[in-house]
Amino acid sequence: MNYDEAKTKFVSTWGSLGTLWGINKAMAQIQALLFISIKPLCMEDIMEELKISRGNTSMNLRQLMDWGIVTKIIIPGERKEYFTTEKEVQELARVIAQERSRREIKPVIKVLKEVSSIADDGTEKTRELIKQTKALHDLTETADGMIHKMATQKQNWITKSVLKFMK
């Protein structure tokens, strides 16, 4: 397999994985392309490489910047905007974990807390709802706490966290 085939395969596979993680394929492919690029890329480079529209590219770059994964780079003398992504794998994973917690897990915790805090009217179905949603709330909150602890350890947080869990 040559470089172009390997690059296409990596970007395509990363895009497919992205859909499993709750982000769209184009967003994941843009991040993958920037991740393996040796220099920042402009929007036109990304559009051409991935064969996607300007609107799709622009919208997904904005979302990646909102996630804190992609940054805009100003190159002196250039009128175009250029983009790059975090190159350190563990830092990238840390940022993604924190953002997913903020966007996805914390809102679920809030809803579970509200639902499990309803007044007990004495019926079996209400008690069951309270019991099960409280248990789910507690589990989700514990898992989010573990993610937070892992993600706040800057250096080699994945390795350090896994080793702590194994002890």
Side-chain angles (χ1 to χ4, degrees):
M1 179 180 320
N2 66 28
Y3 170 80
D4 287 332
E5 292 168 332
K7 178 175 75 170
T8 299
K9 191 170 192 168
F10 172 74
V11 170
S12 176
T13 301
W14 199 251
S16 296
L17 284 173
T19 61
L20 298 173
W21 299 330
I23 62 172
N24 72 61
K25 184 177 180 178
M27 186 174 167
Q29 287 180 324
I30 291 169
Q31 193 279 325
L33 182 63
L34 292 171
F35 186 70
I36 61 170
S37 178
I38 59 173
K39 61 183 174 74
L41 300 175
C42 66
M43 190 179 306
E44 290 75 15
D45 294 337
I46 296 167
M47 290 167 41
E48 182 180 322
E49 185 73 40
L50 299 177
K51 309 290 187 259
I52 57 177
S53 71
R54 179 175 298 280
N56 195 5
T57 306
S58 176
M59 177 186 67
N60 284 298
L61 281 169
R62 240 186 341 269
Q63 285 182 328
L64 286 163
M65 286 187 288
D66 287 346
W67 275 68
I69 298 170
V70 167
T71 54
K72 194 183 301 186
I73 303 293
I74 305 298
I75 298 177
E78 287 284 335
R79 297 180 84 176
K80 295 178 184 177
E81 295 176 332
Y82 287 81
F83 303 90
T84 190
T85 190
E86 175 61 52
K87 298 289 188 166
E88 174 58 44
V89 175
Q90 295 211 13
E91 178 62 16
L92 182 62
R94 189 183 72 75
V95 170
I96 291 170
Q98 285 181 318
E99 192 61 20
R100 290 204 67 171
S101 171
R102 185 183 74 78
R103 289 174 181 249
E104 299 164 19
I105 299 172
K106 295 222 186 302
V108 169
I109 290 171
K110 182 180 178 201
V111 169
L112 289 170
K113 184 173 184 173
E114 289 172 15
V115 172
S116 66
S117 299
I118 64 170
D120 186 348
D121 62 7
T123 64
E124 187 178 351
K125 64 183 182 183
T126 300
R127 282 194 301 272
E128 185 67 11
L129 175 66
I130 292 169
K131 179 181 126 189
Q132 297 295 46
T133 56
K134 172 108 176 73
L136 195 53
H137 170 269
D138 294 348
L139 176 66
T140 307
E141 198 167 54
T142 299
D144 190 50
M146 290 182 344
I147 290 169
H148 179 73
K149 276 186 177 181
M150 290 189 312
T152 54
Q153 294 182 24
K154 284 272 195 182
Q155 187 179 10
N156 294 324
W157 71 276
I158 295 173
T159 307
K160 285 181 181 179
S161 299
V162 170
L163 290 174
K164 282 183 184 177
F165 287 128
M166 294 176 80
K167 287 182 180 177

